[in-house]
């Protein structure tokens, strides 16, 4: 018998317990920088050196972080379900925990891409780049001589994986939302693609208002995922 398809949409809350800050931790600031300076298309055009330096700093912080029990719990569920993770997070904690199917909506911190051919992506560290570590600059070049930029979906840019994410939500036998305020679009709209009658679970210590057919688990991600595992295995 084929496994049920368990589709899980994760936001900043699942990585918060690993010490990963988000741009919503303070009023318009992300790691003490104005969000639109370091996470917008206009910000990159205005000061690309600042953008490179900022994401170099974030990569160093990410290397000091580790997957937490929530990330590991989702891997545990792969024993019983066909698990697909859709994440708004740019960290690689799902992958490092061992999740085998992860779709990133907002890009990946440990990747850069060509400014001229966006399909040319490079995972850091990369010996194909002129800078071979995890730090890049406006002078970094790929094998074709192209400058690179962080592989991040900035404010003001399209979300290229949204269509694939919507299809996953539509195909789900069980849908779970973890650690998101459900206010960041288009990711917040994924719940609308879930077929009627499909069980939906929402884990967040401060959950947003949701329809009454959604099962809310008002706990941090680590505790909530432990509860989710028990619920799913006993159903």
């Amino acid at each position: 018998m084929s496994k049920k398809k368990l589709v899980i949409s994760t936001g900043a809350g699942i990585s918060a317990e690993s010490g990963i800050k988000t741009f919503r931790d303070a009023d318009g600031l992300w790691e003490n920088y104005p969000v639109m300076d370091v996470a917008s298309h206009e910000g990159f055009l205005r000061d690309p050196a600042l953008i490179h330096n900022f994401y170099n700093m974030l990569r160093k912080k990410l290397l000091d972080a580790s997957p937490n029990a929530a990330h590991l719990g989702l891997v545990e569920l792969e024993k019983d379900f066909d698990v697909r993770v859709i994440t708004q997070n740019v960290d690689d904690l799902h992958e490092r925990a061992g999740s085998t199917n992860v779709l990133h909506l907002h890009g990946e911190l440990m990747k850069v891409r060509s400014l001229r051919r966006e399909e040319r992506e490079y995972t850091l560290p990369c010996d194909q780049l002129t800078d071979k570590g995890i730090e890049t600059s406006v002078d970094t070049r790929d094998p074709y001589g192209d400058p690179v930029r962080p592989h991040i979906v900035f404010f003001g840019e399209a979300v290229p994986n949204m269509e694939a994410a919507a299809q996953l939500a539509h195909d789900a036998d069980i849908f779970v939302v973890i650690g998101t305020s459900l206010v960041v679009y288009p990711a917040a709209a994924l719940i609308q693609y879930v077929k009627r009658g499909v069980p939906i679970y929402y884990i967040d210590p401060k959950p947003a208002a949701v329809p009454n057919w959604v099962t809310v688990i008002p706990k941090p991600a680590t505790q909530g995922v432990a509860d989710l595992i028990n619920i799913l295995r006993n159903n």
Side-chain angles (χ1 to χ4, degrees):
M1 188 191 318
S2 61
K3 295 178 179 178
K4 287 186 176 180
K5 183 167 289 186
L6 173 59
V7 179
I8 302 169
S9 174
T10 67
I14 197 169
S15 293
E17 293 177 83
S18 292
I20 302 294
K21 291 184 179 181
T22 78
F23 62 79
R24 296 185 183 277
D25 283 341
D27 294 335
L29 299 178
W30 186 11
E31 297 284 358
N32 299 316
Y33 289 85
V35 170
M36 298 308 287
D37 284 355
V38 295
S40 72
H41 180 72
E42 293 77 11
F44 182 72
L45 294 178
R46 183 169 58 247
D47 194 347
L50 173 65
I51 297 284
H52 279 282
N53 291 335
F54 179 75
Y55 287 92
N56 290 341
M57 178 265 291
L58 289 188
R59 291 185 199 110
K60 292 177 184 176
K61 288 179 178 289
L62 178 55
L63 292 181
D64 291 332
S66 298
N68 61 51
H71 297 102
L72 297 170
L74 301 189
V75 178
E76 182 71 14
L77 283 168
E78 292 192 13
K79 295 177 180 178
D80 303 305
F81 299 91
D82 176 7
V83 177
R84 308 299 175 100
V85 176
I86 305 165
T87 187
Q88 299 174 50
N89 301 334
V90 298
D91 62 60
D92 60 355
L93 296 181
H94 282 300
E95 289 89 344
R96 283 160 57 188
S99 287
T100 53
N101 290 289
V102 183
L103 180 70
H104 285 267
L105 286 182
H106 296 158
E108 297 178 65
L109 182 56
M110 297 306 294
K111 288 185 177 181
V112 295
R113 68 175 186 259
S114 164
L115 266 176
R116 298 191 177 109
R117 299 286 294 272
E118 62 181 31
E119 70 273 13
R120 292 175 180 159
E121 301 173 9
Y122 307 93
T123 301
L124 302 176
C126 178
D127 59 10
Q128 292 181 284
L129 303 177
T130 53
D131 292 294
K132 303 187 187 305
I134 63 168
E135 296 188 20
T136 60
S137 74
V138 292
D139 297 319
T140 303
R141 295 292 183 271
D142 75 359
Y144 302 90
D146 294 349
V148 300
R149 55 161 280 179
H151 185 53
I152 301 293
V153 178
F154 292 139
F155 288 107
E157 295 180 332
V159 179
N161 283 333
M162 187 59 199
E163 185 175 344
Q167 187 64 54
L168 284 175
H170 178 268
D171 293 342
D173 296 310
I174 304 168
F175 190 76
V176 181
V177 178
I178 304 174
T180 173
S181 61
L182 292 176
V183 297
V184 179
Y185 282 82
L190 285 175
I191 199 169
Q192 299 172 16
Y193 291 91
V194 180
K195 294 191 294 287
R196 181 172 297 182
V198 167
I200 301 176
Y201 299 88
Y202 177 29
I203 299 169
D204 196 273
K206 297 179 181 179
V210 291
N212 58 13
W213 62 81
V214 176
T215 299
V216 178
I217 303 174
K219 295 182 179 181
T222 51
Q223 298 172 35
V225 169
D227 287 359
L228 177 71
I229 291 171
N230 288 330
I231 292 168
L232 295 181
R233 285 184 170 168
N234 290 322
N235 279 352

